[in-house]
Amino acid sequence: MDAKQIITACAAGLILSVTTGHAQMSDAGDPTDFAEDLKRGETPNTDGEINDPWEGFNRAMFAMNGVIDGGILVPSAKVYRSLTHKKQRKGLRNLLANARTPVILVNDLLQGEFKRAGETASRFVVNTTIGFGGMGDPAERMGIPQHSEDFGQTLAVWGAPSGPYLYLPFFGPSSLRDGIGAAVDTTADPVFWLRTDAARLTGYSRAGATALALREPLIEPLADIEANSLDYYASIRSFYTQARKREIANGRTNFEDLPDIGDFEEFDEIE
Amino acid sequence: MLNAFKRTITKSALTFVLVAAAAIATPAAADEAAESFVQNVLNEAEPILELEDQAALFEGIESLVDKYVNMRRVGFFVLGQYARQMTDAQKEEYFPLFEEYATRIYQNTMSNYSGQKLVVTGSNDRSERDIIVNSQVAEPGTGDGLSDTIFHWRIYRNSDGEMSVFDAGANGVWLAIEQQSQFKSVIANNGGGETGIQVLIDQLREQVGG
C-alpha cells in the first residue's frame, strides 16, 4: 500500500466513521439518511447559521489537527521561512500551483467553463516554458490571472448542496461535498496513476512542500485569529464557509445572501 | 443518465436566464451618499495607517472606530437570536466589553494594511438602510497580493438618515458575521439563554483583560 492508497482508505474510513458517528450523535430525522443531511445543507442560511450536525466529531478532529499544527507544522514552517528568501517561497508556491493545473483544467471543463479552461491551459503552457517550469508566473503579467477550481466546486456548480460542515484530519475545514470532491481530485492528478518509486517520492515531497508553502504565510494571521477568538473552532468554520461561497461563485460576491442587520423598527427603539 | 444530465443542463440554463433577467430588471442600485461617506472615512484613515509607532497607530484606529462604527447595533447583531434573551443588567455589562473587544479586532485587522491607500470602487444597496460599499488599493504594488482584494464596508443608515459603519470585510469574508458565529457558538455550547450569555460575557471580560 502506498501513501495515496492509505490516504484514500483513510478518507473512506473517515466518511464511514462520520456516517456511523452521525447515527449516534444526531437526533433529527432518520439518523442514517445522508440525503437528509445534504438537503439540510441546502437551506439558505439567511441568519448566518452554519449546518454543523457533526460538531462533536469535527471539534475532536480540530483539536487533533491543532496538536499536529502546533507541534510539527508551524515549527517546520518557521524553519522553512528562516532558510528561504521571500522570492524563493513565492517561486515554490508558483511551482506547486502550476503542478495543480491539470486538476483545475479538468474541473473547468466539467463545469462547462470553456473560457476559463482556455486560460488554465494557456497558463500552464506559458508558465511551464518561459516561467521556468512554473517557478515564475509570467502568465499573470500577460493578463491571464490564476483561478482555483476543484471537484467540490464542480459538484456545487452541478447543484449539489454543500452538506454539513466537515473538519478533516490533516486537510482541515471542508464540507461533506467538498471532502468527497477532494478525494476525487487526487485521482485527477497524473502523479496519482504512476506506480513508480519516483512518482511516490514526488507525491510525498509535494504533499510536504504544499503543507509548508500554504502554512508559512499564515503563521501570523492564524496566530492572530486564535489569540483574538473566544471560540477558535467557530471562527475558522465561519471564515472557511464565507470564503468558500465566494470561491464557488468564481469570485463574484453575493451581497443578497448576507444575514440581515436586524429588524430596523425594533432596533430603532434602542438607539 | 443522459436524460438526467440533459435535464440538469436545461434546468441550469433556465435558472441562468431567470437570474439574468432578474438582474437586468432590478439592478442593485448604487448609493452615492454612502460611497462618499466611506471615501471620507478612508481619507481620514490614510494618514493614521501610515503611522509607524504601533501605539499611535492603534490609538488612531480606535478613534476612527469610536467615531464611525455603530457598536450598539453590531453588538446586538453578533448575539443573533440571543439578543432578545439578554437581561438589562447583562446588556450593561456586555456592551462596554464588546466595544473593547471589537475595537481590538479592528486594530489588529487594519494595522495589517498600514501604508495602503484605499479608494471606493462602487456600491450595492441591499436596502435603503443597508448598503455595501466596495473599495480597493489605489496603487497596488507588485506582488503584494492585495491588488485583487476587494474591501467591503457595510453601511447602516438610521431612520434619520445618519450613516455609520456596521461591518467590514475582504473578498466576501466579514468580521461581524464571523463574530456572530463565534458568539452564538459560545452561548449555545454553554447552556444557551441567559446562562450561555453570562458565560459569553465572562469570556469577553477575560479576553479583553478586564
Side-chain angles (χ1 to χ4, degrees):
Chain A
M1 227 186 193
D2 72 8
K4 301 263 174 39
Q5 284 166 316
I6 295 172
I7 290 177
T8 316
C10 284
L14 175 87
I15 289 170
L16 272 181
S17 69
V18 167
T19 328
T20 44
H22 167 64
Q24 288 146 11
M25 281 190 289
S26 169
D27 49 12
D30 180 359
T32 52
D33 195 352
F34 239 23
E36 188 70 16
D37 277 334
L38 270 168
K39 226 162 66 193
R40 239 182 301 146
E42 198 174 16
T43 326
N45 56 354
T46 42
D47 57 351
E49 207 73 63
I50 296 167
N51 177 26
D52 189 4
W54 303 328
E55 188 170 337
F57 169 86
N58 286 340
R59 278 191 191 267
M61 289 306 118
F62 184 75
M64 189 190 89
N65 270 19
V67 172
I68 299 171
D69 189 57
I72 302 169
L73 203 48
V74 172
S76 314
K78 282 183 179 158
V79 172
Y80 165 63
R81 180 182 283 180
S82 70
L83 294 177
T84 50
H85 186 267
K86 205 174 169 183
K87 278 195 177 138
Q88 293 172 313
R89 294 196 291 273
K90 176 95 179 129
L92 179 67
R93 278 203 297 276
N94 285 340
L95 192 70
L96 291 165
N98 197 48
R100 233 191 87 79
T101 319
V103 175
I104 299 176
L105 180 62
V106 168
N107 283 297
D108 279 333
L109 291 172
L110 288 174
Q111 292 174 28
E113 294 268 5
F114 298 113
K115 186 168 170 274
R116 280 162 70 94
E119 286 174 7
T120 305
S122 318
R123 281 182 56 81
F124 188 68
V125 173
V126 170
N127 285 349
T128 309
T129 51
I130 57 173
F132 300 100
M135 290 283 276
D137 191 357
E140 171 99 43
R141 284 194 297 278
M142 288 163 67
I144 320 172
Q146 191 195 358
H147 68 259
S148 85
E149 282 302 346
D150 53 65
F151 196 62
Q153 294 189 47
T154 300
L155 290 173
V157 170
W158 288 355
S162 77
Y165 180 70
L166 179 60
Y167 196 92
L168 293 166
F170 305 107
F171 291 99
S174 187
S175 66
L176 179 59
R177 178 195 62 210
D178 297 338
I180 293 169
V184 172
D185 278 332
T186 53
T187 67
D189 194 317
V191 179
F192 178 80
W193 299 100
L194 297 176
R195 289 282 176 270
T196 64
D197 285 344
R200 211 163 294 155
L201 190 64
T202 310
Y204 285 135
S205 326
R206 206 166 91 186
T210 306
L212 284 184
L214 291 178
R215 192 64 182 88
E216 183 273 330
L218 294 175
I219 296 176
E220 288 80 16
L222 282 179
D224 255 6
I225 293 172
E226 184 171 11
N228 287 308
S229 286
L230 301 180
D231 187 340
Y232 188 34
Y233 169 83
S235 278
I236 295 294
R237 186 178 59 185
S238 174
F239 281 134
Y240 171 78
T241 312
Q242 292 190 56
R244 184 71 183 161
K245 252 189 222 160
R246 184 174 184 269
E247 205 179 6
I248 290 168
N250 290 343
R252 290 179 287 270
T253 312
N254 185 351
F255 299 116
E256 298 307 313
D257 276 357
L258 294 177
D260 287 331
I261 289 184
D263 194 332
F264 294 133
E265 313 310 320
E266 183 186 344
F267 281 97
D268 282 346
E269 290 163 22
I270 298 164
E271 280 173 359
Chain B
M1 179 71 193
L2 198 63
N3 272 338
F5 183 61
K6 269 189 194 158
R7 267 203 305 277
T8 317
I9 296 274
T10 321
K11 237 167 83 181
S12 320
L14 201 65
T15 316
F16 174 74
V17 170
L18 286 177
V19 169
I24 295 163
T26 52
D31 189 316
E32 278 173 27
E35 285 180 27
S36 64
F37 170 76
V38 171
Q39 191 58 63
N40 282 338
V41 177
L42 294 176
N43 292 345
E44 200 173 324
E46 198 188 332
I48 293 172
L49 289 177
E50 274 167 9
L51 293 170
E52 305 232 328
D53 174 50
Q54 212 210 18
L57 172 67
F58 273 32
E59 209 172 296
I61 296 174
E62 187 174 348
S63 67
L64 279 176
V65 170
D66 275 353
K67 195 165 161 192
Y68 294 113
V69 180
N70 192 330
M71 283 295 178
R72 186 88 183 159
R73 196 164 280 266
V74 186
F76 275 119
F77 171 81
V78 295
L79 293 169
Q81 70 271 32
Y82 299 106
R84 286 182 184 83
Q85 297 169 27
M86 198 176 232
T87 65
D88 287 345
Q90 283 178 327
K91 276 180 201 163
E92 234 168 85
E93 251 187 297
Y94 166 78
F95 276 103
L97 292 171
F98 173 73
E99 193 164 336
E100 207 173 319
Y101 175 75
T103 304
R104 191 172 295 182
I105 304 284
Y106 268 102
Q107 285 169 328
N108 281 322
T109 312
M110 287 177 72
S111 58
N112 291 334
Y113 303 113
S114 54
Q116 301 289 348
K117 181 180 159 57
L118 292 177
V119 285
V120 167
T121 52
S123 64
N124 236 297
D125 64 344
R126 284 173 38 88
S127 78
E128 212 176 301
R129 312 264 306 259
D130 179 0
I131 306 109
I132 313 284
V133 177
N134 294 316
S135 58
Q136 270 182 292
V137 174
E139 296 145 9
T142 44
D144 58 5
L146 286 179
S147 52
D148 297 330
T149 308
I150 299 170
F151 296 92
H152 321 287
W153 307 92
R154 194 165 176 184
I155 303 304
Y156 168 70
R157 182 184 271 131
N158 74 8
S159 48
D160 298 330
E162 287 163 11
M163 287 183 275
S164 54
V165 174
F166 174 76
D167 199 358
N171 283 348
V173 180
W174 296 87
L175 289 178
I177 294 177
E178 180 264 337
Q179 281 164 19
Q180 188 190 59
S181 185
Q182 277 195 71
F183 284 21
K184 280 159 70 174
S185 170
V186 170
I187 298 172
N189 284 315
N190 289 287
E194 264 176 57
T195 328
I197 291 170
Q198 197 53 51
V199 173
L200 174 77
I201 292 173
D202 295 342
Q203 287 193 10
L204 270 177
R205 182 175 297 111
E206 204 176 307
Q207 184 72 33
V208 300

